[in-house]
Every structure is written in structure tokens, then in C-alpha cells.
Amino acid sequence: MILDFLLETGKLKNIKRAGWVINGIDGESVADHCFRVCVLSMLLGDLLKDKYKIDMEKILKISLLHDIAESKIGDIPYESLKYLGEENKSRAEKEACKDLFKNIENGDKYYALWEEFEDRKSIEAQIVRAADKLEMMIQCYEYENRGHKLDHFWNNEFNFRDFKFDIVKELFEELKKRRKNGR
């Protein structure tokens, strides 16, 4: 039922992004992160639509759904993958998504979009992947400007491995420049 789905996914407003928490930051929720990923995905899609054939509705749906499994399993930070393994995390997220989508109309279509993001199957999924990581680095920059020391985020290539688009690379370079200059 749609109401159950909304109540379940509403939990994302109360689930903190664990990568920040383990670094001593009582910061954004998963829902907070998803909001800016959606905005960034929209902007990137519009900037890239002259170069690629892009379905903007698909971008926005993928960006809304990309972290939906976390309403069931919580946010699992990069550091935890060493102990859990990417395969276990992936399996848990798939099961959580199947459970979330099983009782709503078009659930199979939403699951397919989520899976497309996970597998980077389309240009839209790749744009949202880039937005997901770029948003995290923007948030990192903001936390550093509030006095937190987060150099290890900037030194972890996992955090920017999906930056295949020139505009994303340019934005990331500008962010690093501002970080270096203390602005």
C-alpha cells in the first residue's frame, strides 16, 4: 500500500548519514542528502542534454530512489564495507528495495530504476551516480568550513570514481580550489 511505502521511506528524514556520524558530525539525514542529489541531478541533466540523449524524468526518479533502501537497512558508510563487503551490502539493499516496492503500483518499475542506478546501466544512472558523490563532497566542504577535519574524504578515490562528465570534474576542481583557498 502506498501509505505504508510513504511511512517507511519517511524514515529517511531521521536516519543520519553514517559517514558523518562516525567522524563526529551530527549532520544531515539521508533525506537531506537525497534532496540536494535531486537538485544536482536536475542541473547536471540540463547541462548535459545537448551532448547526450537524456530522459529528465528518469533522472529525477532515479535520484529520488537512489538511497531508498536505507530506510530499511540504514546508511552504511564506506569504512564499513571493509568488514561487511560490497556484495553483502548490495544483497541487503536489493532485498530491502524488493520489500519496499512489492506492494505498490509500478513497484517493479521503481525497482528497475533503482537497480539501473546501482549498475550504472544508463546515462541517467551515471549522472545521478556522479551527483550522489559530488553532493557528498560538497557537504564535506561545508562541514570542513564549520571546523571539521575531513582530509580522508578528499584522499579516497572511491568518493569521486564516478566523475566521468567534464562538468562534474570542473565542479569538483572548483570545490577543491575553494577548499584550498579557504573560501
Side-chain angles (χ1 to χ4, degrees):
M1 166 177 224
I2 202 166
L3 184 56
D4 294 327
F5 177 80
L6 292 170
L7 291 169
E8 190 66 37
T9 59
K11 292 176 182 178
L12 293 172
K13 295 191 292 184
N14 298 311
I15 297 173
K16 298 289 186 175
R17 297 264 290 162
W20 305 129
V21 172
I22 63 175
N23 280 281
I25 302 169
D26 180 24
E28 68 174 346
S29 71
V30 174
D32 295 328
H33 162 73
C34 289
F35 170 74
R36 189 156 53 184
V37 169
C38 288
V39 173
L40 185 51
S41 295
M42 176 187 69
L43 295 171
L44 291 175
D46 281 338
L47 289 170
L48 293 167
K49 70 183 177 190
D50 291 337
K51 188 172 183 179
Y52 302 96
K53 184 176 178 357
I54 294 174
D55 180 338
M56 288 300 292
E57 180 180 347
K58 188 177 189 181
I59 281 180
L60 292 174
K61 285 181 179 181
I62 291 172
S63 65
L64 284 166
L65 298 172
H66 85 280
D67 276 344
I68 202 113
E70 294 179 16
S71 68
K72 291 275 191 197
I73 64 170
D75 182 42
I76 299 171
Y78 174 79
E79 290 86 352
S80 297
L81 294 180
K82 175 180 174 184
Y83 306 102
L84 295 173
E86 284 195 53
E87 305 79 30
N88 291 327
K89 178 183 182 264
S90 178
R91 189 175 330 113
E93 288 177 340
K94 282 182 181 184
E95 291 305 313
C97 279
K98 286 177 183 174
D99 191 40
L100 281 164
F101 295 131
K102 72 181 177 188
N103 292 321
I104 61 170
E105 190 172 331
N106 296 312
D108 55 335
K109 292 177 184 173
Y110 297 135
Y111 179 81
L113 288 169
W114 175 84
E115 197 169 44
E116 192 171 310
F117 169 79
E118 287 297 305
D119 296 337
R120 298 166 180 86
K121 287 181 182 172
S122 65
I123 191 70
E124 293 86 1
Q126 293 165 16
I127 289 168
V128 177
R129 264 288 170 190
D132 180 40
K133 295 300 185 182
L134 183 57
E135 193 288 325
M136 180 186 66
M137 296 311 296
I138 292 168
Q139 187 63 61
C140 184
Y141 169 80
E142 291 173 340
Y143 286 145
E144 283 188 325
N145 283 341
R146 295 180 198 160
H148 298 281
K149 188 112 173 93
L150 300 166
D151 288 336
H152 56 290
F153 278 83
W154 300 92
N155 298 324
N156 183 349
E157 289 186 23
F158 180 84
N159 292 338
F160 38 90
R161 70 179 180 182
D162 289 304
F163 292 180
K164 75 173 246 177
F165 305 103
D166 289 340
I167 185 61
V168 175
K169 291 175 188 172
E170 290 169 21
L171 289 167
F172 187 55
E173 288 304 315
E174 175 63 24
L175 190 62
K176 289 193 300 187
K177 187 169 106 182
R178 288 184 185 197
R179 179 180 184 251
K180 182 179 177 187
N181 294 333
R183 329 183 297 180

